[in-house]
Amino acid sequence: MIEARKLPPREAMDYDAVIVGGGPAGLAAAIRLKQIAPDAAVVIVEKGSEIGAHILSGVVVDPIGLDKLLPGWREDPDRPLKTPVTEDKFYLLGPSRGVRLPNFLMPPLLNNHGNFVGSLGNVCRYLGAKAEALGVEIYPGFAAAEVLFRETGEVLGIATGDAGIGRDGKPKDSFTRGMELRGKYTLFAEGARGSLSKQIIARFKLDQGCEPQKYGLGIKELWQVDPTLHRPGLVQHSFGWPLDSKTGGGSFLYHVEENQIVVGFVVHLNYTNPTLSPFDEFQRFKTHPMIRDVFAGGKRLSYGARALTEGGWQSVPKLTFPGGALVGCSAGFMNVPRIKGSHNAILSGVQAADALALALSEGRAHDELSSYEAGWRSSEIGHDLKKVRNVKPLWSKFGTWVGVPLGGADMWLNDIFGFSLFGTLKHGKPDYATLKRIDQVAPIVYPKPDGVLTFDKLSSVFLSNTNHEEDQPIHLRLSDPSIPVGKNLPEFGEPARLYCPAGVYEIAYSDEVKKSDPRFVINAQNCVHCKTCDIKDPAQNITWCTPEGGGGPNYPNM
Ligand SMILES: Cc1cc2nc3c(=O)[nH]c(=O)nc-3n(C[C@H](O)[C@H](O)[C@H](O)COP(=O)(O)OP(=O)(O)OC[C@H]3O[C@@H](n4cnc5c(N)ncnc54)[C@H](O)[C@@H]3O)c2cc1C
Ligand code: SF4
């Protein structure tokens, strides 16, 4: 790495609000702020090559957030969500059969009628255009790489990463210094496991007194299917097979527009068997007799993966700190049983912007946006998350067969009577601490992909259009390079090989048969920015850092 003192100084620009991340939360915050404070100077930095390029979601959208932010959106001919949910199905799957659960048994808050299916990437592209029309400056292709602090400790803004540094840490001819974007307030809207949000949470101890954040890994494909098999607006979820009863997760399959379906699988990252591969579980899921027929004659168009937060109500950290706030999934506003977070991301952007506009109107800067922190638990976001707060802990504690029905009963009670028999349950260990040693588990053996319905990781990453400048420092930093081979390999079989959905991590041997001289290989250029390694590495030895801006996946409409 180049020493900071040898670098030329960075240029700086001043704003009222600096927003890190152009997802639903960041864009909503920017739009709301300009709606109520049109003269405010607002900037968004987005690490994807364009708004939407790094957005991966289901998606069934609860329109409560959009209705609040842009009340006329339903009449807009350019609106990104045009397909309402028409049918809602839940399945419990066994290895060769399954049962559909009657809708009347399902807690009302899981009902998807009134929601819309579509692409969250396209929702963000729509919001991006609205924000720009209001005068928000948006810089796609720029990653916020560093938080800036005032001498007195408040957050001052962010710096974008330097570009044009070689793998050896030395500047190349193309070297360009990053920019400092300074704000009276900085909002971190980086989504689940944001790299700067993680630093901010640690520095200001925002998670003191909360339960640990929990995560899942969601893997998704977009398919063009036979029109005779397509039923626009059909929304289908399952749990059970191929996961065993102690491993949490499930599938989603939505019939969106233009004879396309999205299909995906979420594995809760508190799984215990280090030989589990979320990617391969997803591939197996598609082969189930009750699922596979919809893909007959179809073509896979796109692939991607992203972590999601699962801790909910009891894991949301303090949202504010001097000079800024966390919004959206950086704060953990995902509702796990509903598999929805985009509505709360938008609502939290709105709430943070309201607090920020109030502060600007009072001539304040760099202090805490206390009204945002004080208000969220009694707002729509709090009501949404509180009712489901025990579902994830019950599932984790009792497994699928007992935990899921208990969670369902708890949601019914909460919906009707507004209370839970369980109070507020704890989540237990953080996800990195749940793996058993490899000698304590039965290894999972996955079938080989057929290249028609099931695929390998590399052909999948190809469909995510992932691209990184190869000659740059590896953005997956190891605190101790000896741990993967010295500790993780003997204890856990180095699970990074399996949990990474992009095949970034490998163990290579000088003699593959004798398994001699193991080496840990990082194919950083394949990284789809899901953040799972930062979450699940048992030694917490991998830190996901921002690569050069613009690198990563280029999702068309995920
Ligand atoms: C598989 C899956 C299925 C889901 N299904 C649904 C669903 O059906 N319905 C629903 O409502 N929700 C769903 N969600 C959740 C939903 O996607 C999230 O709640 C929502 O995207 C959160 O919005 P956000 O703006 O907080 O973060 P994100 O959508 O993650 O956006 C963050 C943005 O910030 C950018 N960024 C991050 N760090 C930096 C940085 N340092 N510098 C610059 N830019 C940065 C990212 O590139 C990204 O564009 C699903 C999630 C997953 C993973
Ligand atoms: S390297 Fe880490 S962040 Fe990148 S795709 Fe693999 S698990 Fe996800």
Side-chain angles (χ1 to χ4, degrees), residues 35-283:
Q35 286 169 339
I36 41 182
D39 294 334
V42 183
V43 66
I44 296 179
V45 279
E46 166 53 52
K47 67 181 165 62
S49 61
E50 53 146 355
I51 292 289
H54 286 184
I55 299 293
L56 182 132
S57 192
V59 64
V60 177
V61 176
D62 176 341
I64 181 174
L66 278 174
D67 286 341
K68 186 156 210 165
L69 182 70
L70 297 170
W73 77 272
R74 290 169 191 253
E75 284 75 51
D76 185 344
D78 297 330
R79 66 194 182 281
L81 297 171
K82 291 187 173 147
T83 310
V85 173
T86 51
E87 257 186 288
D88 215 356
K89 294 183 176 178
F90 292 87
Y91 290 93
L92 173 56
L93 298 183
S96 55
R97 294 168 186 213
V99 284
R100 180 174 169 194
L101 304 178
N103 280 10
F104 70 82
L105 280 183
M106 305 308 292
L109 54 84
L110 297 190
N111 183 352
N112 276 307
H113 287 278
N115 297 333
F116 293 82
V117 289
S119 148
L120 193 62
N122 290 343
V123 171
C124 290
R125 289 179 181 97
Y126 176 78
L127 294 178
K130 295 278 176 211
E132 277 184 326
L134 287 165
V136 176
E137 286 177 40
I138 302 185
Y139 295 117
F142 287 89
E146 188 186 329
V147 186
L148 304 172
F149 296 94
R150 300 172 88 204
E151 278 176 11
T152 38
E154 301 91 346
V155 169
L156 175 64
I158 57 93
T160 62
D162 297 334
I165 300 174
R167 177 69 55 109
D168 57 4
K170 296 197 175 121
K172 301 184 283 187
D173 291 346
S174 56
F175 178 77
T176 12
R177 193 77 166 107
M179 290 276 300
E180 291 195 0
L181 303 179
R182 299 175 180 174
K184 290 179 181 159
Y185 296 95
T186 305
L187 300 181
F188 292 86
E190 299 175 286
R193 196 68 165 200
S195 49
L196 298 186
S197 310
K198 182 179 154 185
Q199 294 172 24
I200 289 284
I201 290 169
R203 182 176 174 117
F204 292 104
K205 299 189 172 58
L206 300 179
D207 57 354
Q208 213 167 39
C210 331
E211 283 297 290
Q213 186 54 271
K214 305 294 283 180
Y215 296 90
L217 169 60
I219 305 178
K220 171 179 167 181
E221 293 175 351
L222 179 68
W223 281 70
Q224 191 78 42
V225 296
D226 179 342
T228 60
L229 302 171
H230 188 250
R231 294 162 69 174
L234 170 61
V235 161
Q236 193 173 302
H237 293 101
S238 76
F239 54 92
W241 191 87
L243 298 176
D244 67 29
S245 65
K246 294 201 174 97
T247 307
S251 75
F252 58 93
L253 196 155
Y254 308 147
H255 291 237
V256 294
E257 292 173 354
E258 295 173 4
N259 297 321
Q260 293 182 350
I261 63 169
V262 300
V263 56
F265 204 87
V266 175
V267 174
H268 297 186
L269 286 176
N270 58 357
Y271 67 82
T272 56
N273 188 330
T275 68
L276 186 145
S277 159
F279 174 89
D280 293 292
E281 296 292 341
F282 172 41
Q283 298 305 318

Side-chain angles (χ1 to χ4, degrees), residues 360-540:
L360 293 179
S361 71
E362 292 173 349
R364 289 160 39 205
H366 306 301
D367 62 357
E368 292 211 24
L369 300 171
S370 308
S371 56
Y372 172 45
E373 168 64 22
W376 82 266
R377 285 192 194 265
S378 55
S379 75
E380 302 97 326
I381 305 176
H383 292 305
D384 188 51
L385 295 188
K386 193 170 184 193
K387 284 181 186 168
V388 302
R389 67 193 180 280
N390 289 326
V391 175
K392 163 82 181 172
L394 286 168
W395 196 337
S396 305
K397 200 169 169 54
F398 296 108
T400 309
W401 306 124
V402 178
V404 171
L406 270 181
D410 193 56
M411 282 190 276
W412 269 107
L413 266 184
N414 263 294
D415 237 10
I416 298 173
F417 301 112
F419 79 98
S420 166
L421 289 176
F422 303 103
T424 300
L425 294 172
K426 292 180 181 304
H427 284 304
K429 294 178 192 169
D431 294 334
Y432 67 81
T434 60
L435 287 179
K436 293 183 175 162
R437 288 179 60 100
I438 195 150
D439 51 18
Q440 293 170 351
V441 300
I444 305 175
V445 181
Y446 293 100
K448 287 216 171 343
D450 62 15
V452 179
L453 178 59
T454 58
F455 303 92
D456 63 13
K457 286 185 184 172
L458 288 189
S459 64
S460 302
V461 174
F462 179 75
L463 288 183
S464 68
N465 302 312
T466 296
N467 187 29
H468 288 95
E469 164 62 49
E470 288 209 20
D471 188 15
Q472 65 171 303
I474 290 180
H475 69 281
L476 304 148
R477 308 242 168 99
L478 301 181
S479 307
D480 178 349
S482 73
I483 283 182
V485 166
K487 191 167 187 303
N488 282 355
L489 187 59
E491 287 185 19
F492 305 106
E494 184 41 276
R497 298 177 303 119
L498 296 166
Y499 62 62
C500 172
V504 167
Y505 301 106
E506 289 177 276
I507 296 287
Y509 299 92
S510 56
D511 183 327
E512 285 291 335
V513 180
K514 291 187 193 151
K515 301 269 182 243
S516 48
D517 302 329
R519 269 181 310 117
F520 190 57
V521 179
I522 305 180
N523 303 303
Q525 70 280 5
N526 285 355
C527 174
V528 295
H529 297 199
C530 75
K531 313 280 178 77
T532 302
C533 49
D534 195 284
I535 298 163
K536 188 63 180 169
D537 179 58
Q540 285 293 274

Side-chain angles (χ1 to χ4, degrees), residues 24-26 28-30 32 187 327-328 344-354 372:
R32 176 67 159 208
L187 300 181
V327 289
N344 285 339
I346 293 175
L347 290 170
S348 70
V350 167
Q351 291 179 19
D354 286 348
Y372 172 45

Side-chain angles (χ1 to χ4, degrees), residues 533-554:
C533 49
D534 195 284
I535 298 163
K536 188 63 180 169
D537 179 58
Q540 285 293 274
N541 186 42
I542 304 176
T543 301
W544 188 97
C545 305
T546 47
E548 271 188 20
N554 283 287

